[in-house]
Amino acid sequence: MDLAELQEVADREAAASKAVRFRVCSAAGCLSSGALEVRSGLEDAVEREGLGENAQVCAVGCLRLCCEGPLVRVDPDGTLYERVAPDQAASIVATLKGGEPSARRGDADRPFFSLQRSIVLENSGTVEPERIESYIAAGGYRSLHEVVREMNPAEVVDLVTRSGLRGRGGAGYPTGLKWGMVAKNPGPHKFVVCNADEGDPGAFMDRTVLESDPHRVLEGMAIAAYAVGAEQGYIYVRGEYPLAIRRLETGIRQARRLGLLGTQIFESPFNFRVDLRIGAGAFVCGEETALIASIEGRRGVPRPRPPYPAASGLWGNPTLINNVETFANVPPIIRNGPEWFASIGTAKSKGTKVFALAGKVRHTGIVEVPMGTTLRTIVETMGGGAPDGGTIKAVQTGGPSGGCIPEDRLDTPVDYESLAQLGSIMGSGGMIVMDQGTNMVEIARFFIGFCMDESCGKCIPCRAGTVQLHRMLSRIIDGEAAEEDLEPLRALCEMVKAASLCGLGQSAPNPVLSTLRYFEDEYRQLLRPGAGAAAASAGR
């Protein structure tokens, strides 16, 4: 495969494209609501009406407004249909002959869509994720060609460094700096790993990217491999994501067939192979050293660092680990330049961030916004606020390791530093909205219970500390705690943060600490005078 052949594929795809395209969301959310039957209904109607010369039905990736699925968008005019039933499909096709649709029209210009800026999701809802030709027609694999044929590895690392891209997996470590460390470390073998073990409750950003645009992630991984000198890559993906796994398998097979993965990529000395590793559902395997152990075939538990994976990762070799969204940012950075990417976002947080908007909010789904967008814009303007006339009470970011941010702090811009100042974290992008009916102490117990169940048990502070925190919260909720129990609760949180082995244990108390910080009155309302002493005398 060379550039001319890549262009031939794109030209054939463009020539085969029909004037009208019915794009049916084929991501997991819409499929679970009947999108497959809607697609069949559209295909039957197009054939029955004799419109095959001018119209086609495409199974595309996520159209983002998950709460209104199944979704259908008709291009080129962009008409959106929501909650489409299979028996309404024919009426949508009939609009091409002047008919009236029985399906509900959606507002494609509502803030949920209009305030998004798509970089990672630019192909989502447009390309067909199970066809590499569709990705190539959208400009896919051209960035890889540019890198392999026109740049040396050091230039690629420098370009990514100048873009200001930071890891989207949670910690926000500078991506170019990490790539540079792996590139400089000697070793006969190096590896690139994509962390797709998305385990946060309410988070589905990575799943959406993998289901909607798998070749984007593969291309980003190949560029990274060229930059650091790796010839083998792994995608560690949750077993609970069967659709994403199937599309990755298809994508890898297609890319190998066209010579875009494998040996002598773009007729160069560069070789890169990608294999999948399926996670068995352990939350801790999202931590990079536990993930490495799992890929190696061992029990997935973290180990002390240093050495860091950049120096000693898979089988003791230098290993680059980034998550799905980080790799998906790379091809457009190569295509548009580092200055373009660095011009988006805030001074220290560049580019955009993908969030899974869920919970007590009217418009749930996937949003991608520039860094620096306020939480209020995301939740109230784009998300439409709380449903049924309710009011927003708090927003939880960062999954079980994040914190609960109260409504009066929603004007805070979304960036790594601002969220940390509020006692939360960016995390991988889960965003759960809570309304006035939410009990914040119950929320704290839910998340600490999640961390307790998912603790790998290797270190005592996490293994025993989360159990004790859960018991203390339960005593408060059951009315068995008193004023003097709050300070030991805080102290135990700080001990678990300071003494746990890995980041998961270190951040587990965040929901408790943030709710104590902003919603202490709700804890106090549950306390019972003298209850602590009574419980102590009773041996509880």
Side-chain angles (χ1 to χ4, degrees):
M1 174 69 75
D2 57 22
L3 187 58
E5 292 171 319
L6 199 67
Q7 186 59 47
E8 286 178 10
V9 174
D11 291 343
R12 285 197 299 271
E13 184 71 8
S17 180
K18 306 295 173 56
V20 177
R21 293 171 297 283
F22 297 97
R23 301 189 191 277
V24 185
C25 179
S26 64
C30 278
L31 285 177
S32 67
S33 301
L36 194 60
E37 292 77 11
V38 172
R39 177 187 170 190
S40 296
L42 290 168
E43 291 173 337
D44 291 344
V46 167
E47 183 178 355
R48 190 168 55 250
E49 296 294 329
L51 295 170
E53 289 294 321
N54 297 315
Q56 65 185 123
V57 180
C58 307
V60 298
C62 182
L63 287 169
R64 310 191 192 191
L65 190 58
C66 302
C67 62
E68 301 294 351
L71 297 167
V72 175
R73 192 180 72 215
V74 184
D75 286 333
D77 64 4
T79 302
L80 180 70
Y81 294 97
E82 301 173 347
R83 303 197 179 201
V84 180
D87 60 5
Q88 296 174 321
S91 73
I92 295 176
V93 174
T95 60
L96 300 186
K97 292 185 175 181
E100 278 297 316
S102 58
R104 189 177 83 188
R105 291 181 190 268
D107 181 6
D109 296 322
R110 67 180 62 161
F112 181 90
F113 296 111
S114 63
L115 295 183
Q116 297 204 33
R117 178 159 186 177
S118 298
I119 296 177
V120 171
L121 300 176
E122 64 179 346
N123 291 332
S124 182
T126 301
V127 305
E128 297 169 83
E130 298 190 18
R131 298 183 61 247
I132 192 173
E133 297 84 0
S134 179
Y135 180 69
I136 292 174
Y141 288 106
R142 285 179 175 271
S143 294
L144 177 61
H145 179 273
E146 179 181 348
V147 164
V148 172
R149 301 297 301 183
E150 300 177 20
M151 301 174 71
N152 64 46
E155 290 173 331
V156 180
V157 172
D158 177 67
L159 188 151
V160 173
T161 301
R162 286 189 287 122
S163 75
L165 175 65
R166 297 169 66 172
R168 299 301 196 239
Y173 194 81
T175 303
L177 186 59
K178 181 184 280 189
W179 287 26
M181 289 191 292
V182 178
K184 290 175 182 176
N185 280 319
H189 304 289
K190 295 181 182 179
F191 297 95
V192 168
V193 174
C194 177
N195 185 349
D197 194 48
E198 183 178 56
D200 292 0
F204 49 97
M205 307 78 55
D206 290 352
R207 188 195 75 196
T208 298
V209 174
L210 293 174
E211 292 176 349
S212 302
D213 203 8
H215 286 285
R216 169 67 77 87
V217 180
L218 294 174
E219 186 179 7
M221 289 182 67
I223 292 170
Y226 177 78
V228 305
E231 293 193 348
Q232 175 67 55
Y234 293 100
I235 301 176
Y236 190 89
V237 58
R238 326 182 60 196
E240 295 92 333
Y241 287 177
L243 182 61
I245 292 170
R246 194 185 80 204
R247 289 181 176 168
L248 282 170
E249 290 173 336
T250 300
I252 291 170
R253 187 169 60 250
Q254 293 172 338
R256 284 177 181 164
R257 175 169 52 80
L258 294 183
L260 300 169
L261 290 176
T263 59
Q264 298 183 320
I265 295 172
F266 285 121
E267 300 179 0
S268 76
F270 174 53
N271 307 319
F272 185 57
R273 174 189 173 96
V274 176
D275 290 306
L276 299 185
R277 289 293 181 269
I278 312 300
F283 180 67
V284 73
C285 284
E287 197 278 339
E288 59 183 12
T289 61
L291 182 151
I292 287 172
S294 183
I295 291 178
E296 291 176 342
R298 298 182 289 114
R299 181 185 173 199
V301 293
R303 62 164 171 78
R305 300 175 300 175
Y308 291 93
S312 180
L314 276 171
W315 297 288
N317 295 289
T319 300
L320 171 69
I321 303 178
N322 283 134
N323 85 329
V324 171
E325 187 178 343
T326 308
F327 283 124
N329 267 297
V330 173
I333 289 175
I334 301 295
R335 183 203 320 144
N336 298 312
E339 294 78 13
W340 163 79
F341 189 81
S343 69
I344 304 166
T346 66
K348 294 183 178 179
S349 300
K350 305 297 186 184
T352 59
K353 183 74 191 77
V354 179
F355 291 100
L357 190 58
K360 299 294 183 65
V361 63
R362 291 179 61 196
H363 303 142
T364 58
I366 292 291
V367 298
E368 181 177 7
V369 295
M371 290 282 196
T373 303
T374 66
L375 287 166
R376 193 178 302 282
T377 298
I378 297 172
V379 172
E380 294 189 349
T381 307
M382 300 175 71
D388 304 323
T391 58
I392 292 175
K393 184 175 186 178
V395 176
Q396 205 263 358
T397 66
S401 303
C404 297
I405 301 168
E407 188 277 339
D408 62 0
R409 306 295 177 96
L410 292 187
D411 292 316
T412 301
V414 169
D415 61 54
Y416 294 96
E417 287 72 24
S418 297
L419 292 179
Q421 288 175 3
L422 295 178
S424 189
I425 61 173
M426 180 80 75
S428 57
M431 184 175 288
I432 299 176
V433 183
M434 304 162 197
D435 68 3
Q436 77 284 352
T438 306
N439 182 313
M440 303 308 293
V441 186
E442 290 275 13
I443 287 292
R445 184 172 68 167
F446 168 80
F447 282 114
I448 206 68
F450 177 87
C451 293
M452 175 183 69
D453 291 340
E454 294 293 338
S455 174
C456 74
K458 183 171 182 176
C459 73
I460 292 176
C462 177
R463 183 180 71 221
T466 53
V467 172
Q468 291 303 318
L469 286 172
H470 190 267
R471 287 178 179 171
M472 295 169 81
L473 290 168
S474 294
R475 287 189 60 230
I476 292 173
I477 291 170
D478 293 341
E480 297 176 352
E483 172 76 24
E484 56 265 33
D485 290 311
L486 290 184
E487 196 52 39
L489 179 65
R490 285 193 178 90
L492 183 55
C493 285
E494 297 297 341
M495 187 279 290
V496 173
K497 281 174 69 76
S500 291
L501 174 61
C502 77
L504 299 185
Q506 293 162 6
S507 56
N510 281 346
V512 184
L513 288 171
S514 63
T515 49
L516 277 169
R517 178 179 175 181
Y518 298 115
F519 303 98
E520 185 174 334
D521 58 319
E522 293 196 25
Y523 282 82
R524 293 191 176 282
Q525 289 171 9
L526 295 170
L527 299 178
R528 184 158 60 91
S537 63
R540 292 198 296 268

